[in-house]
Amino acid sequence: MQKRELGRDGLRVSALGLGCMGLSYGYGPATDRTEAIALIRAAYERGVTFFDTAEAYGPALNEEVLGEALEPFREAVVIATKFGFRNGQPGDGLDSRPERIRQVADAALIRLRTDRIDLFYQHRVDPDVPIEDVAGTVKELIAAGKVKHFGLSEAGAQSIRRAHAVQPVAALQSEYSMWWREPEAEILPLLEELGIGFVPFSPLGKGFLTGRFGADATFAEGDFRGTVPRFSAEALKANQALADRVRELAETKGVTPAQIALAWLLAQKPWIVPIPGTTKLHRLEENLGGADVELTPDDLARIEHALATVHVQGDRYAPSHQQFVNR
Ligand SMILES: NC(=O)c1ccc[n+]([C@@H]2O[C@H](COP(=O)([O-])OP(=O)(O)OC[C@H]3O[C@@H](n4cnc5c(N)ncnc54)[C@H](OP(=O)(O)O)[C@@H]3O)[C@@H](O)[C@H]2O)c1
């Protein structure tokens, strides 16, 4: 698979990464450990060198599994993890105090079976800790050799600028896909100006863009999509028009909806690296095929036109979490 560079400090990764959250968090029961390890190794064998995890995804089930899976080829891969929630639990609120960041780094190094975190993101901006202190703490971790690169997630423009002035930011990880295009207004131009890479999370719209959630979809216990307004019965019904457009566009190109959704993101900027998540080998293979789909200027214009015909309904987060994003 082709490589891309995030930031201006030599962070080279495969054009598509693997998002590991769903292996243990957010979408229902955790995947069996042996199966999860096999999936992660299958991704590596198919050219993926960029793996995304977080303390918040359940440290024992996510960082530890990733650490075990990648240990045999550690030198050939880039591991990204995140700090920033109190006790590592999103439900407990935010905590980016410097002592906590240092603690999370040390614990993550052990769980990931490594001597350095390649990319260490602040998961959400913490209004109680100046972003300069966060950037300064990561800068010290970089000087100590425990961290290689600094990242932010769902940060607003001012936070990005302030953090970047203290410690250059290699990558911003925020939601971006055919059904959430807000970053195009202010964030992408800012990243281009500062030379920061962009890692779109939920690039398949948490699965919606693949067409698998019809108007009558229901979500299992522990699947947080069941609490997201955009996945409410009413919104799903209204948003089927988007899934239909994506399917039609995919058919025109002879590819799948997931592949066109990923190819479209890759076509936006050469410094964009989406991290689709899946727990299944056949979907991993399908998604990686998205990196081989070439979109011509005509294709992109057709997609732009088709997306403009649909108005997506429903917030992307429940009200309790909405306050944490883009600040
Ligand atoms: N920084 C943040 O705050 C943040 C927030 C959310 C996510 N993330 C990161 O971004 C990664 C990806 O985001 P995401 O997992 O939320 O969303 P996503 O990649 O847009 O979608 C994942 C969902 O789509 C399904 N799926 C994947 N490929 C498919 C295909 N080809 N056909 C049909 N269904 C498919 C998966 O189910 P199956 O497992 O059943 O295939 C899963 O339910 C996460 O793993 C995590 O690392 C970060």
Side-chain angles (χ1 to χ4, degrees):
M1 190 185 312
Q2 290 204 339
K3 294 264 169 65
R4 292 192 166 200
E5 197 155 321
L6 295 171
R8 290 185 176 150
D9 207 10
L11 182 59
R12 275 176 70 74
V13 296
S14 51
L16 290 175
L18 179 66
C20 295
M21 179 186 83
L23 293 171
S24 67
Y25 181 85
Y27 300 143
T31 302
D32 167 79
R33 187 179 178 108
T34 311
E35 279 176 34
I37 289 172
L39 184 91
I40 292 163
R41 290 185 175 163
Y44 172 71
E45 282 154 15
R46 286 155 182 76
V48 174
T49 64
F50 186 35
F51 295 85
D52 188 76
T53 179
E55 182 197 34
Y57 302 159
L61 291 163
N62 213 284
E63 287 181 325
E64 274 187 17
V65 168
L66 193 62
E68 181 177 345
L70 296 179
E71 197 173 24
F73 16 83
R74 175 66 185 98
E75 295 311 312
V77 296
V78 168
I79 301 179
T81 192
K82 316 182 192 81
F83 61 87
F85 286 110
R86 185 169 299 132
N87 309 315
Q89 306 276 350
D92 289 358
L94 302 173
D95 187 352
S96 278
R97 290 171 301 134
E99 60 267 36
R100 173 73 183 143
I101 298 174
R102 289 190 284 269
Q103 225 177 52
V104 179
D106 285 337
L109 286 172
I110 294 169
R111 291 191 289 260
L112 291 166
R113 303 188 187 194
T114 185
D115 60 354
R116 83 272 175 199
I117 297 163
D118 299 302
L119 176 56
F120 204 27
Y121 295 102
Q122 183 189 36
H123 213 145
R124 292 287 182 272
V125 171
D126 183 344
D128 294 334
V129 182
I131 196 84
E132 288 80 2
D133 294 356
V134 172
T137 304
V138 176
K139 192 183 185 84
E140 285 165 17
L141 290 168
I142 291 173
K146 294 181 180 184
V147 168
K148 290 291 177 199
H149 300 274
F150 177 34
L152 296 170
S153 177
E154 287 289 346
Q158 284 313 312
S159 300
I160 296 169
R161 272 192 196 282
R162 287 169 51 197
H164 190 71
V166 176
Q167 167 60 45
V169 175
L172 176 76
Q173 178 180 133
S174 293
E175 184 162 358
Y176 182 37
S177 72
M178 284 177 163
W179 85 340
W180 181 253
R181 298 180 62 182
E182 191 187 74
E184 291 172 3
E186 190 183 12
I187 297 296
L188 292 186
L190 176 68
L191 300 184
E192 187 137 51
E193 175 198 329
L194 298 179
I196 298 173
F198 189 49
V199 176
F201 75 69
S202 302
L204 303 173
K206 300 179 167 56
F208 178 82
L209 297 170
T210 69
R212 64 184 276 199
F213 297 115
D216 54 357
T218 53
F219 299 96
E221 174 97 25
D223 186 332
F224 95 108
R225 288 171 292 209
T227 68
V228 169
R230 193 163 276 205
F231 283 93
S232 70
E234 198 186 2
L236 279 177
K237 193 167 163 222
N239 293 335
Q240 286 311 305
L242 175 62
D244 292 345
R245 290 300 86 72
V246 178
R247 182 177 38 75
E248 289 154 15
L249 291 163
E251 279 168 9
T252 312
K253 284 294 281 181
V255 301
T256 71
Q259 288 171 338
I260 200 125
L262 295 171
W264 177 80
L265 283 170
L266 287 167
Q268 301 308 305
K269 297 285 175 192
W271 37 268
I272 285 184
V273 179
I275 48 166
T278 182
T279 53
K280 299 176 181 65
L281 180 60
H282 69 280
R283 289 188 179 148
L284 170 73
E285 290 177 332
E286 174 188 339
N287 296 346
L288 297 184
D292 298 325
V293 178
E294 300 261 346
L295 296 177
T296 64
D298 275 358
D299 292 331
L300 291 168
R302 198 174 323 111
I303 293 172
E304 194 60 46
H305 179 74
L307 296 181
T309 62
V310 185
H311 175 64
V312 178
Q313 310 250 327
D315 285 342
R316 66 193 178 107
Y317 279 116
S320 57
H321 192 80
Q322 193 71 25
Q323 53 172 327
F324 291 152
V325 296
N326 195 23
R327 58 182 180 192

Short mmCIF file of all heavy atoms in Angstrom, two decimals, residues 168-225:
data_model
loop_
_atom_site.label_atom_id
_atom_site.label_comp_id
_atom_site.label_asym_id
_atom_site.label_seq_id
_atom_site.Cartn_x
_atom_site.Cartn_y
_atom_site.Cartn_z
N PRO A 168 5.21 21.18 17.82
CA PRO A 168 4.55 20.93 16.52
C PRO A 168 3.64 19.70 16.59
O PRO A 168 4.01 18.65 17.12
CB PRO A 168 5.73 20.71 15.57
CG PRO A 168 6.84 21.52 16.17
CD PRO A 168 6.65 21.40 17.67
N VAL A 169 2.44 19.89 16.05
CA VAL A 169 1.44 18.82 16.03
C VAL A 169 1.62 18.04 14.72
O VAL A 169 1.64 18.65 13.64
CB VAL A 169 0.02 19.42 16.11
CG1 VAL A 169 -1.05 18.35 15.97
CG2 VAL A 169 -0.16 20.20 17.42
N ALA A 170 1.77 16.74 14.80
CA ALA A 170 1.95 15.93 13.58
C ALA A 170 0.61 15.63 12.93
O ALA A 170 0.50 15.58 11.71
CB ALA A 170 2.67 14.63 13.90
N ALA A 171 -0.43 15.42 13.77
CA ALA A 171 -1.72 15.02 13.19
C ALA A 171 -2.88 15.44 14.08
O ALA A 171 -2.79 15.40 15.31
CB ALA A 171 -1.76 13.50 13.01
N LEU A 172 -3.96 15.83 13.42
CA LEU A 172 -5.24 16.02 14.09
C LEU A 172 -6.11 14.84 13.71
O LEU A 172 -6.21 14.50 12.53
CB LEU A 172 -5.92 17.31 13.61
CG LEU A 172 -7.31 17.52 14.20
CD1 LEU A 172 -7.21 18.00 15.65
CD2 LEU A 172 -8.13 18.53 13.39
N GLN A 173 -6.73 14.22 14.71
CA GLN A 173 -7.68 13.13 14.43
C GLN A 173 -9.07 13.61 14.80
O GLN A 173 -9.34 13.86 15.97
CB GLN A 173 -7.33 11.87 15.24
CG GLN A 173 -8.32 10.76 14.99
CD GLN A 173 -8.05 9.47 15.75
OE1 GLN A 173 -8.98 8.91 16.34
NE2 GLN A 173 -6.83 9.00 15.75
N SER A 174 -9.91 13.81 13.81
CA SER A 174 -11.29 14.25 14.07
C SER A 174 -12.21 13.55 13.09
O SER A 174 -11.77 12.98 12.10
CB SER A 174 -11.40 15.77 13.91
OG SER A 174 -10.68 16.43 14.93
N GLU A 175 -13.50 13.62 13.41
CA GLU A 175 -14.45 12.94 12.51
C GLU A 175 -14.51 13.67 11.17
O GLU A 175 -14.55 14.90 11.11
CB GLU A 175 -15.85 12.88 13.15
CG GLU A 175 -16.83 12.10 12.28
CD GLU A 175 -18.07 11.63 13.04
OE1 GLU A 175 -18.17 11.88 14.26
OE2 GLU A 175 -18.93 11.01 12.40
N TYR A 176 -14.50 12.91 10.10
CA TYR A 176 -14.62 13.48 8.75
C TYR A 176 -15.03 12.34 7.81
O TYR A 176 -14.42 11.28 7.82
CB TYR A 176 -13.28 14.06 8.31
CG TYR A 176 -13.28 14.74 6.94
CD1 TYR A 176 -14.37 15.48 6.48
CD2 TYR A 176 -12.17 14.64 6.10
CE1 TYR A 176 -14.35 16.10 5.24
CE2 TYR A 176 -12.14 15.27 4.85
CZ TYR A 176 -13.23 15.99 4.43
OH TYR A 176 -13.22 16.61 3.20
N SER A 177 -16.07 12.59 7.07
CA SER A 177 -16.55 11.57 6.12
C SER A 177 -17.59 12.22 5.23
O SER A 177 -17.93 13.39 5.39
CB SER A 177 -17.20 10.41 6.88
OG SER A 177 -18.46 10.84 7.42
N MET A 178 -18.14 11.42 4.33
CA MET A 178 -19.18 11.93 3.45
C MET A 178 -20.41 12.44 4.22
O MET A 178 -21.22 13.14 3.65
CB MET A 178 -19.62 10.83 2.48
CG MET A 178 -18.63 10.59 1.36
SD MET A 178 -19.21 9.22 0.35
CE MET A 178 -18.25 9.44 -1.14
N TRP A 179 -20.54 12.05 5.49
CA TRP A 179 -21.72 12.59 6.21
C TRP A 179 -21.35 13.52 7.35
O TRP A 179 -22.21 13.93 8.11
CB TRP A 179 -22.68 11.48 6.62
CG TRP A 179 -22.46 10.72 7.88
CD1 TRP A 179 -21.32 10.59 8.60
CD2 TRP A 179 -23.49 10.00 8.58
NE1 TRP A 179 -21.54 9.81 9.69
CE2 TRP A 179 -22.87 9.43 9.69
CE3 TRP A 179 -24.86 9.77 8.37
CZ2 TRP A 179 -23.57 8.64 10.61
CZ3 TRP A 179 -25.54 8.99 9.27
CH2 TRP A 179 -24.91 8.42 10.38
N TRP A 180 -20.08 13.91 7.45
CA TRP A 180 -19.67 14.93 8.42
C TRP A 180 -18.52 15.70 7.82
O TRP A 180 -17.36 15.29 7.88
CB TRP A 180 -19.27 14.31 9.77
CG TRP A 180 -18.88 15.39 10.73
CD1 TRP A 180 -17.61 15.70 11.16
CD2 TRP A 180 -19.74 16.34 11.35
NE1 TRP A 180 -17.64 16.78 12.00
CE2 TRP A 180 -18.94 17.21 12.14
CE3 TRP A 180 -21.12 16.58 11.31
CZ2 TRP A 180 -19.46 18.27 12.89
CZ3 TRP A 180 -21.64 17.64 12.06
CH2 TRP A 180 -20.82 18.45 12.84
N ARG A 181 -18.84 16.85 7.21
CA ARG A 181 -17.84 17.56 6.43
C ARG A 181 -17.43 18.89 7.07
O ARG A 181 -16.79 19.71 6.43
CB ARG A 181 -18.37 17.77 5.00
CG ARG A 181 -18.63 16.44 4.31
CD ARG A 181 -19.15 16.62 2.90
NE ARG A 181 -18.19 17.32 2.05
CZ ARG A 181 -18.42 17.64 0.78
NH1 ARG A 181 -19.57 17.31 0.21
NH2 ARG A 181 -17.50 18.28 0.07
N GLU A 182 -17.82 19.08 8.29
CA GLU A 182 -17.51 20.35 8.95
C GLU A 182 -16.02 20.73 8.90
O GLU A 182 -15.68 21.91 8.74
CB GLU A 182 -17.99 20.33 10.41
CG GLU A 182 -17.94 21.70 11.04
CD GLU A 182 -18.24 21.66 12.53
OE1 GLU A 182 -17.38 21.22 13.31
OE2 GLU A 182 -19.34 22.09 12.89
N PRO A 183 -15.08 19.78 9.05
CA PRO A 183 -13.66 20.16 9.03
C PRO A 183 -13.23 20.91 7.77
O PRO A 183 -12.21 21.59 7.77
CB PRO A 183 -12.92 18.81 9.14
CG PRO A 183 -13.89 17.91 9.81
CD PRO A 183 -15.25 18.34 9.31
N GLU A 184 -14.01 20.80 6.69
CA GLU A 184 -13.60 21.45 5.45
C GLU A 184 -13.60 22.98 5.57
O GLU A 184 -12.84 23.66 4.88
CB GLU A 184 -14.53 21.04 4.30
CG GLU A 184 -14.36 19.59 3.90
CD GLU A 184 -15.39 19.11 2.90
OE1 GLU A 184 -16.24 19.91 2.46
OE2 GLU A 184 -15.37 17.90 2.58
N ALA A 185 -14.45 23.51 6.46
CA ALA A 185 -14.61 24.97 6.52
C ALA A 185 -13.38 25.66 7.10
O ALA A 185 -12.78 26.52 6.45
CB ALA A 185 -15.85 25.30 7.35
N GLU A 186 -12.98 25.26 8.27
CA GLU A 186 -11.92 25.99 8.95
C GLU A 186 -10.70 25.12 9.24
O GLU A 186 -9.56 25.58 9.20
CB GLU A 186 -12.49 26.53 10.28
CG GLU A 186 -11.59 27.50 10.97
CD GLU A 186 -12.14 27.97 12.32
OE1 GLU A 186 -13.12 27.37 12.82
OE2 GLU A 186 -11.59 28.92 12.88
N ILE A 187 -10.95 23.87 9.56
CA ILE A 187 -9.86 23.01 10.06
C ILE A 187 -8.89 22.58 8.96
O ILE A 187 -7.67 22.70 9.11
CB ILE A 187 -10.46 21.79 10.80
CG1 ILE A 187 -11.26 22.24 12.03
CG2 ILE A 187 -9.37 20.80 11.18
CD1 ILE A 187 -10.45 22.94 13.12
N LEU A 188 -9.40 22.10 7.83
CA LEU A 188 -8.48 21.64 6.78
C LEU A 188 -7.58 22.77 6.28
O LEU A 188 -6.36 22.57 6.14
CB LEU A 188 -9.23 20.96 5.63
CG LEU A 188 -9.90 19.61 5.97
CD1 LEU A 188 -10.48 18.97 4.71
CD2 LEU A 188 -8.93 18.65 6.62
N PRO A 189 -8.11 23.98 6.03
CA PRO A 189 -7.20 25.07 5.63
C PRO A 189 -6.14 25.38 6.69
O PRO A 189 -4.99 25.66 6.36
CB PRO A 189 -8.14 26.27 5.43
CG PRO A 189 -9.49 25.67 5.18
CD PRO A 189 -9.53 24.39 5.95
N LEU A 190 -6.54 25.30 7.95
CA LEU A 190 -5.57 25.56 9.02
C LEU A 190 -4.47 24.49 9.04
O LEU A 190 -3.28 24.80 9.17
CB LEU A 190 -6.28 25.58 10.38
CG LEU A 190 -5.36 25.74 11.59
CD1 LEU A 190 -4.72 27.13 11.60
CD2 LEU A 190 -6.12 25.49 12.89
N LEU A 191 -4.86 23.24 8.89
CA LEU A 191 -3.88 22.16 8.89
C LEU A 191 -2.92 22.32 7.71
O LEU A 191 -1.71 22.11 7.84
CB LEU A 191 -4.57 20.79 8.83
CG LEU A 191 -5.53 20.47 9.98
CD1 LEU A 191 -6.06 19.05 9.84
CD2 LEU A 191 -4.88 20.65 11.35
N GLU A 192 -3.46 22.72 6.57
CA GLU A 192 -2.61 22.92 5.39
C GLU A 192 -1.60 24.04 5.67
O GLU A 192 -0.41 23.91 5.39
CB GLU A 192 -3.49 23.30 4.19
CG GLU A 192 -2.72 23.38 2.90
CD GLU A 192 -3.48 22.72 1.74
OE1 GLU A 192 -4.66 23.05 1.54
OE2 GLU A 192 -2.87 21.88 1.06
N GLU A 193 -2.09 25.11 6.27
CA GLU A 193 -1.20 26.25 6.59
C GLU A 193 -0.08 25.83 7.54
O GLU A 193 1.08 26.19 7.35
CB GLU A 193 -2.05 27.36 7.24
CG GLU A 193 -1.24 28.55 7.73
CD GLU A 193 -2.02 29.41 8.73
OE1 GLU A 193 -3.27 29.48 8.63
OE2 GLU A 193 -1.37 29.98 9.63
N LEU A 194 -0.42 25.03 8.54
CA LEU A 194 0.57 24.69 9.58
C LEU A 194 1.36 23.41 9.24
O LEU A 194 2.31 23.08 9.95
CB LEU A 194 -0.14 24.51 10.93
CG LEU A 194 -0.87 25.74 11.48
CD1 LEU A 194 -1.55 25.42 12.81
CD2 LEU A 194 0.08 26.92 11.67
N GLY A 195 0.96 22.70 8.19
CA GLY A 195 1.67 21.47 7.85
C GLY A 195 1.37 20.33 8.81
O GLY A 195 2.24 19.54 9.17
N ILE A 196 0.11 20.24 9.22
CA ILE A 196 -0.33 19.18 10.14
C ILE A 196 -1.13 18.15 9.34
O ILE A 196 -1.98 18.51 8.52
CB ILE A 196 -1.22 19.78 11.26
CG1 ILE A 196 -0.41 20.79 12.08
CG2 ILE A 196 -1.78 18.68 12.15
CD1 ILE A 196 -1.25 21.56 13.11
N GLY A 197 -0.88 16.87 9.57
CA GLY A 197 -1.63 15.83 8.88
C GLY A 197 -3.02 15.66 9.48
O GLY A 197 -3.30 16.12 10.59
N PHE A 198 -3.91 14.99 8.72
CA PHE A 198 -5.28 14.79 9.20
C PHE A 198 -5.66 13.32 9.14
O PHE A 198 -5.48 12.66 8.11
CB PHE A 198 -6.25 15.62 8.36
CG PHE A 198 -7.65 15.66 8.93
CD1 PHE A 198 -7.88 15.95 10.25
CD2 PHE A 198 -8.75 15.41 8.11
CE1 PHE A 198 -9.17 15.98 10.78
CE2 PHE A 198 -10.05 15.45 8.63
CZ PHE A 198 -10.25 15.74 9.96
N VAL A 199 -6.18 12.82 10.25
CA VAL A 199 -6.58 11.42 10.37
C VAL A 199 -8.09 11.38 10.62
O VAL A 199 -8.53 11.58 11.75
CB VAL A 199 -5.81 10.75 11.53
CG1 VAL A 199 -6.27 9.31 11.74
CG2 VAL A 199 -4.30 10.79 11.28
N PRO A 200 -8.89 11.19 9.57
CA PRO A 200 -10.34 11.16 9.77
C PRO A 200 -10.75 9.90 10.54
O PRO A 200 -10.45 8.79 10.11
CB PRO A 200 -10.90 11.10 8.36
CG PRO A 200 -9.80 11.51 7.45
CD PRO A 200 -8.54 11.08 8.14
N PHE A 201 -11.46 10.11 11.67
CA PHE A 201 -12.03 8.93 12.33
C PHE A 201 -13.47 8.74 11.87
O PHE A 201 -14.07 9.63 11.29
CB PHE A 201 -11.85 8.98 13.85
CG PHE A 201 -12.75 9.91 14.65
CD1 PHE A 201 -14.11 9.68 14.78
CD2 PHE A 201 -12.21 10.98 15.33
CE1 PHE A 201 -14.92 10.50 15.56
CE2 PHE A 201 -13.00 11.82 16.12
CZ PHE A 201 -14.36 11.58 16.22
N SER A 202 -14.00 7.56 12.14
CA SER A 202 -15.32 7.18 11.62
C SER A 202 -15.46 7.54 10.14
O SER A 202 -16.45 8.15 9.73
CB SER A 202 -16.44 7.84 12.45
OG SER A 202 -16.34 7.48 13.81
N PRO A 203 -14.49 7.13 9.31
CA PRO A 203 -14.53 7.51 7.89
C PRO A 203 -15.66 6.82 7.13
O PRO A 203 -16.02 7.26 6.04
CB PRO A 203 -13.16 7.04 7.36
CG PRO A 203 -12.77 5.90 8.27
CD PRO A 203 -13.30 6.30 9.63
N LEU A 204 -16.22 5.76 7.72
CA LEU A 204 -17.37 5.08 7.10
C LEU A 204 -18.67 5.52 7.78
O LEU A 204 -19.68 4.84 7.68
CB LEU A 204 -17.20 3.56 7.21
CG LEU A 204 -15.91 3.00 6.59
CD1 LEU A 204 -15.77 1.51 6.91
CD2 LEU A 204 -15.89 3.23 5.09
N GLY A 205 -18.61 6.66 8.48
CA GLY A 205 -19.81 7.12 9.19
C GLY A 205 -20.28 6.08 10.20
O GLY A 205 -21.47 5.83 10.32
N LYS A 206 -19.30 5.50 10.94
CA LYS A 206 -19.61 4.46 11.94
C LYS A 206 -20.39 3.30 11.30
O LYS A 206 -21.20 2.65 11.94
CB LYS A 206 -20.39 5.06 13.13
CG LYS A 206 -19.63 6.17 13.87
CD LYS A 206 -20.43 6.74 15.01
CE LYS A 206 -19.58 7.61 15.95
NZ LYS A 206 -18.86 8.72 15.30
N GLY A 207 -20.13 3.08 10.04
CA GLY A 207 -20.78 1.97 9.33
C GLY A 207 -21.93 2.42 8.46
O GLY A 207 -22.32 1.71 7.52
N PHE A 208 -22.49 3.60 8.73
CA PHE A 208 -23.70 4.02 8.00
C PHE A 208 -23.47 4.10 6.49
O PHE A 208 -24.32 3.70 5.69
CB PHE A 208 -24.20 5.39 8.51
CG PHE A 208 -25.40 5.86 7.75
CD1 PHE A 208 -26.66 5.39 8.07
CD2 PHE A 208 -25.26 6.72 6.68
CE1 PHE A 208 -27.77 5.77 7.33
CE2 PHE A 208 -26.36 7.11 5.92
CZ PHE A 208 -27.62 6.63 6.26
N LEU A 209 -22.33 4.64 6.09
CA LEU A 209 -22.09 4.89 4.66
C LEU A 209 -21.97 3.60 3.86
O LEU A 209 -22.06 3.61 2.63
CB LEU A 209 -20.83 5.74 4.48
CG LEU A 209 -20.92 7.15 5.08
CD1 LEU A 209 -19.55 7.83 5.08
CD2 LEU A 209 -21.94 8.00 4.33
N THR A 210 -21.75 2.48 4.54
CA THR A 210 -21.65 1.20 3.83
C THR A 210 -23.04 0.69 3.43
O THR A 210 -23.14 -0.29 2.69
CB THR A 210 -20.99 0.11 4.71
OG1 THR A 210 -21.90 -0.23 5.78
CG2 THR A 210 -19.67 0.59 5.30
N GLY A 211 -24.07 1.33 3.94
CA GLY A 211 -25.43 0.95 3.59
C GLY A 211 -26.00 -0.15 4.46
O GLY A 211 -27.09 -0.65 4.21
N ARG A 212 -25.28 -0.48 5.54
CA ARG A 212 -25.75 -1.64 6.32
C ARG A 212 -26.82 -1.30 7.35
O ARG A 212 -27.43 -2.20 7.92
CB ARG A 212 -24.58 -2.34 7.00
CG ARG A 212 -23.87 -1.51 8.01
CD ARG A 212 -22.67 -2.24 8.57
NE ARG A 212 -23.06 -3.13 9.66
CZ ARG A 212 -22.20 -3.58 10.54
NH1 ARG A 212 -20.90 -3.29 10.43
NH2 ARG A 212 -22.59 -4.35 11.52
N PHE A 213 -27.05 0.01 7.60
CA PHE A 213 -28.07 0.37 8.58
C PHE A 213 -29.28 0.97 7.88
O PHE A 213 -29.31 2.15 7.53
CB PHE A 213 -27.52 1.36 9.61
CG PHE A 213 -26.39 0.76 10.43
CD1 PHE A 213 -25.11 1.27 10.35
CD2 PHE A 213 -26.63 -0.33 11.25
CE1 PHE A 213 -24.08 0.70 11.08
CE2 PHE A 213 -25.60 -0.90 11.99
CZ PHE A 213 -24.32 -0.38 11.90
N GLY A 214 -30.27 0.12 7.65
CA GLY A 214 -31.50 0.58 7.01
C GLY A 214 -32.34 1.40 8.00
O GLY A 214 -31.96 1.57 9.17
N ALA A 215 -33.48 1.86 7.51
CA ALA A 215 -34.33 2.73 8.34
C ALA A 215 -34.80 2.03 9.61
O ALA A 215 -35.12 2.68 10.60
CB ALA A 215 -35.53 3.19 7.51
N ASP A 216 -34.84 0.70 9.59
CA ASP A 216 -35.36 -0.02 10.76
C ASP A 216 -34.23 -0.65 11.59
O ASP A 216 -34.46 -1.56 12.38
CB ASP A 216 -36.35 -1.10 10.31
CG ASP A 216 -35.72 -2.02 9.26
OD1 ASP A 216 -34.55 -1.75 8.87
OD2 ASP A 216 -36.38 -2.99 8.84
N ALA A 217 -32.99 -0.18 11.43
CA ALA A 217 -31.86 -0.77 12.16
C ALA A 217 -32.04 -0.59 13.67
O ALA A 217 -32.55 0.42 14.13
CB ALA A 217 -30.56 -0.12 11.72
N THR A 218 -31.61 -1.61 14.42
CA THR A 218 -31.61 -1.49 15.88
C THR A 218 -30.20 -1.80 16.36
O THR A 218 -29.41 -2.43 15.65
CB THR A 218 -32.58 -2.50 16.53
OG1 THR A 218 -32.25 -3.80 16.03
CG2 THR A 218 -34.03 -2.18 16.19
N PHE A 219 -29.87 -1.35 17.56
CA PHE A 219 -28.51 -1.49 18.06
C PHE A 219 -28.50 -2.29 19.35
O PHE A 219 -29.33 -2.07 20.23
CB PHE A 219 -27.87 -0.11 18.25
CG PHE A 219 -27.79 0.62 16.94
CD1 PHE A 219 -28.77 1.53 16.57
CD2 PHE A 219 -26.77 0.35 16.05
CE1 PHE A 219 -28.73 2.17 15.35
CE2 PHE A 219 -26.72 0.98 14.81
CZ PHE A 219 -27.69 1.89 14.46
N ALA A 220 -27.52 -3.18 19.45
CA ALA A 220 -27.43 -4.07 20.62
C ALA A 220 -27.03 -3.27 21.86
O ALA A 220 -26.51 -2.15 21.75
CB ALA A 220 -26.40 -5.15 20.34
N GLU A 221 -27.24 -3.88 23.00
CA GLU A 221 -26.79 -3.34 24.28
C GLU A 221 -25.29 -3.06 24.18
O GLU A 221 -24.52 -3.88 23.66
CB GLU A 221 -27.06 -4.44 25.33
CG GLU A 221 -26.55 -4.16 26.70
CD GLU A 221 -27.65 -3.58 27.58
OE1 GLU A 221 -28.83 -3.85 27.31
OE2 GLU A 221 -27.30 -2.87 28.53
N GLY A 222 -24.88 -1.87 24.63
CA GLY A 222 -23.44 -1.56 24.60
C GLY A 222 -22.99 -0.96 23.28
O GLY A 222 -21.83 -0.58 23.14
N ASP A 223 -23.89 -0.87 22.31
CA ASP A 223 -23.54 -0.22 21.03
C ASP A 223 -23.97 1.24 21.15
O ASP A 223 -25.16 1.54 21.16
CB ASP A 223 -24.25 -0.92 19.87
CG ASP A 223 -23.82 -0.39 18.51
OD1 ASP A 223 -23.41 0.80 18.44
OD2 ASP A 223 -23.87 -1.15 17.54
N PHE A 224 -22.97 2.15 21.22
CA PHE A 224 -23.33 3.53 21.55
C PHE A 224 -24.06 4.23 20.42
O PHE A 224 -24.66 5.29 20.63
CB PHE A 224 -22.11 4.31 22.05
CG PHE A 224 -21.37 5.11 21.01
CD1 PHE A 224 -21.46 6.50 21.00
CD2 PHE A 224 -20.60 4.49 20.06
CE1 PHE A 224 -20.79 7.25 20.06
CE2 PHE A 224 -19.92 5.23 19.11
CZ PHE A 224 -20.02 6.60 19.10
N ARG A 225 -24.06 3.63 19.21
CA ARG A 225 -24.86 4.25 18.14
C ARG A 225 -26.33 4.34 18.53
O ARG A 225 -27.05 5.23 18.05
CB ARG A 225 -24.68 3.45 16.84
CG ARG A 225 -23.30 3.65 16.22
CD ARG A 225 -23.05 2.71 15.07
NE ARG A 225 -22.94 1.33 15.53
CZ ARG A 225 -22.20 0.39 14.92
NH1 ARG A 225 -21.53 0.69 13.82
NH2 ARG A 225 -22.16 -0.83 15.39
#
